[in-house]
Amino acid sequence: MTVEAVVSHVEALGRTLGGTVDGALLECARAVHRASMADYLARRGDLAAAGAGEPASLFHEAVTGGRRAG
């Protein structure tokens, strides 16, 4: 999540609680969501290929120091 998305979410939450949501805020939220989704979809294949099996092996190495059980 980008800083812009976080700021947008916080602003939207504050304005929702304050009852001041308007069309401009909703359109801004839509634009941030579309950009974020487009970025994710463009990178999804690379993310899946880069992360296949890696988190489990990193966790194993961190916990066991790379030693094999047995």
Side-chain angles (χ1 to χ4, degrees):
M1 182 176 273
T2 65
V3 172
E4 181 181 74
V6 171
V7 170
S8 180
H9 279 83
V10 169
E11 181 183 356
L13 179 59
R15 290 180 65 179
T16 299
L17 294 173
T20 60
V21 174
D22 59 6
L25 179 63
L26 293 174
E27 188 52 44
C28 179
R30 285 185 196 108
V32 169
H33 173 72
R34 285 186 203 116
S36 177
M37 184 59 72
D39 183 49
Y40 165 72
L41 291 173
R43 295 179 181 204
R44 183 171 52 179
D46 294 337
L47 293 170
E54 192 172 315
S57 65
L58 290 174
F59 178 76
H60 175 76
E61 288 178 23
V63 171
T64 66
R67 296 184 311 273
R68 293 264 180 202

